[in-house]
Amino acid sequence: MTTASATSPSAPPVAVPVHQRVAELAATLIGSWQEGYLKDRSPAVAALARLRRGAGREAGETPDLWGLIDTDPLHTPAEGTRPLSEQELVRAENALHAALTLWAFHQQSRGVPMHRRHTRERPGGLGAAVRRLMPADGVDEPVRKRLVRAGTAPDLVALTQRLRDIVALLRRDDIPLDYALLAGQLYLWQWPDGPAAVRRRWGRSFHEQRRPRPAAGENTTPDIDTDDKDAS
């Protein structure tokens, strides 16, 4: 009987799912812009203004954004990744456009980070964020219906427009959102059975979140976590 030696070839690396690659790229782009914006750096302030004009619009509809959102990492496979198909690239770019422009709308005129990592202790997904708009001891039915309406959007453009309405409420109350997580979910949304899967995540996190609203100016560290485990 033989045993494997210490010099046996290691297992091949696990392929990185496309939605995670989309989330990681969103995290990188937003992280840089957000830091610059909060430090009042002119390039980041200008970039945010350009991004904001694309919120709620279809990718490609705003020519001013064509050279701003760098999708090269999706076209250049790195270790543990594979080349994406044309359909995957289009849907990845759509998801990035939607998430980045919604973040820019959310971050506008806010002195604290509106993109914040999701953790088990501080859920940062959409369902949890919507729940934080409500009183701790009850449900605001009109707000809940906005989330339901977003979940039943017929396509990504309609979904982005409905999310913009929700983001306006989050912005009003300084409630952050994990936009890297959202970008990955918007990518998944565009595939068969994707809307149902994403709706389940939003609904589960909405019902699990029972924390009161954050105080204005709450310290929200802009570190990034694109792990989709237990994500809302």
Side-chain angles (χ1 to χ4, degrees):
M1 179 177 180
T2 59
T3 57
S5 68
T7 58
S8 297
S10 58
V14 177
V16 179
V18 179
H19 78 275
Q20 185 175 331
R21 292 170 63 178
V22 172
E24 289 171 351
L25 181 54
T28 298
L29 293 171
I30 292 176
S32 176
W33 284 324
Q34 183 166 261
E35 179 183 8
Y37 181 79
L38 295 175
K39 293 181 179 179
D40 200 26
R41 294 173 180 162
S42 297
V45 172
L48 187 137
R50 292 169 63 187
L51 286 165
R52 193 170 63 245
R53 289 193 287 270
R57 297 184 177 183
E58 190 171 358
E61 187 180 335
T62 310
D64 188 41
L65 300 184
W66 291 352
L68 182 61
I69 300 176
D70 181 10
T71 59
D72 282 353
L74 296 175
H75 294 261
T76 308
E79 184 178 356
T81 66
R82 58 171 176 79
L84 301 185
S85 69
E86 182 64 23
Q87 190 175 41
E88 288 172 327
L89 283 170
V90 168
R91 292 178 175 180
E93 290 168 355
N94 288 343
L96 277 172
H97 171 88
L100 297 181
T101 55
L102 286 169
W103 163 76
F105 172 65
H106 197 168
Q107 187 64 60
Q108 178 191 12
S109 302
R110 291 297 176 266
V112 294
M114 292 293 101
H115 164 64
R116 191 194 71 191
R117 61 172 290 187
H118 163 87
T119 65
R120 190 184 300 273
E121 293 73 26
R122 295 197 306 174
L126 183 66
V130 169
R131 186 63 182 84
R132 295 181 76 190
L133 285 165
M134 304 181 186
D137 57 351
V139 173
D140 185 323
E141 192 60 23
V143 172
R144 189 193 69 83
K145 286 182 178 179
R146 286 180 182 269
L147 181 61
V148 172
R149 186 167 179 266
T152 57
D155 53 48
L156 185 64
V157 174
L159 173 60
T160 304
Q161 292 168 346
R162 295 176 187 184
L163 289 177
R164 190 181 187 279
D165 293 339
I166 292 175
V167 169
L169 299 178
L170 299 177
R171 180 177 177 274
R172 178 197 66 191
D173 287 4
D174 282 340
I175 297 174
L177 188 63
D178 186 338
Y179 280 94
L181 175 61
L182 181 64
Q185 291 173 342
L186 294 179
Y187 172 80
L188 294 173
W189 177 276
Q190 298 170 78
W191 293 93
D193 300 324
V198 173
R199 282 195 299 267
R200 283 194 297 271
R201 296 181 188 186
W202 291 348
R204 184 166 58 247
S205 68
F206 175 87
H207 291 292
E208 289 173 350
Q209 171 71 17
R210 288 293 183 270
R211 299 182 183 183
R213 303 179 185 185
E218 177 189 52
N219 181 25
T220 51
T221 307
D223 49 347
I224 307 301
D225 181 4
T226 56
D227 187 355
D228 207 28
K229 295 178 181 177
D230 298 311
S232 49

